[in-house]
Amino acid sequence: MTTRVIILNGGSSSGKSGIVRCLQAVLPDPWLALGTDTLVEAMPASMRAADGGIEFAADGEVVVGAEFRRLEAAWIAGVAAMARAGARVVVDEVFLGGAYSQRRWQEALGDLRVLWVGVRCDASVAAGREVARGDRTVGMAVAQAELVHQGVVYDVQVDTTRTEALDCARAIAARVE
């Protein structure tokens, strides 16, 4: 069975997006790149102000409500449907719920071959990237650095603290069947 989905999980500013772009360059077949940012950007702006939506607190905490979870579940099912229809998909994720978040994906993906990738980065390095980017709430990187990995089981882990995205992508690509 060939790998249909690669899920990269890591905190904000850990380097996932750069790895995804590099994976698309080094993998021999075309892979679609989707991620939690894609989902949030697809939602109406009102979802960032409603109690049931998603809130980015000033201290970097991310709070999600029931309506966000409902739309997220539909999105996850849609990603799984694309993979079942023949697309290869790389997902850039942030498992705010740790193992619970992974289980939601596992249930939706069922018997599809998935490569689970943990993207780690020292919290202080991620925080520096966060400030340099200027498009993130300061504090997210530190708040998420370890939280997103709690209880999550990976096939491979990479650490972007001192390793370039391309080298991480090559390590991941070597595990794709």
Side-chain angles (χ1 to χ4, degrees):
M1 179 184 265
T2 61
T3 304
R4 304 303 307 169
V5 181
I6 302 170
I7 297 188
L8 280 70
N9 174 51
S12 179
S13 300
S14 63
K16 298 179 307 294
S17 299
I19 293 171
V20 169
R21 286 188 296 276
C22 290
L23 276 169
Q24 288 180 303
V26 302
L27 289 167
D29 298 306
W31 287 74
L32 297 176
L34 300 170
T36 192
D37 288 344
T38 311
L39 170 64
V40 172
E41 290 168 11
M43 291 182 176
S46 63
M47 287 292 292
R48 291 185 200 101
D51 286 341
I54 184 167
E55 178 187 345
F56 300 96
D59 65 355
E61 181 184 14
V62 180
V63 180
V64 296
E67 185 64 13
F68 178 89
R69 287 289 185 217
R70 187 184 70 73
L71 292 172
E72 181 188 41
W75 181 76
I76 291 170
V79 172
M82 285 191 291
R84 283 191 183 86
R88 292 174 186 86
V89 185
V90 182
V91 180
D92 173 342
E93 252 292 10
V94 181
F95 288 172
L96 293 174
Y100 170 74
S101 297
Q102 185 177 37
R103 276 193 304 278
R104 293 178 74 212
W105 276 99
Q106 288 169 326
E107 290 168 8
L109 295 169
D111 62 351
L112 288 168
R113 175 102 169 111
V114 180
L115 183 67
W116 298 95
V117 180
V119 179
R120 294 188 177 269
C121 182
D122 180 84
S124 63
V125 171
R129 293 175 185 169
E130 177 179 70
V131 170
R133 287 175 68 163
D135 66 347
R136 296 283 190 242
T137 302
V138 174
M140 285 176 70
V142 170
Q144 296 174 5
E146 291 303 319
L147 173 74
V148 301
H149 299 292
Q150 290 179 356
V152 179
V153 177
Y154 298 112
D155 298 308
V156 62
Q157 294 189 59
V158 295
D159 189 327
T160 66
T161 304
R162 290 177 196 80
T163 306
E164 294 296 322
L166 183 57
D167 293 326
C168 291
R170 286 181 176 139
I172 296 163
R175 299 291 303 272
V176 173
E177 296 177 5

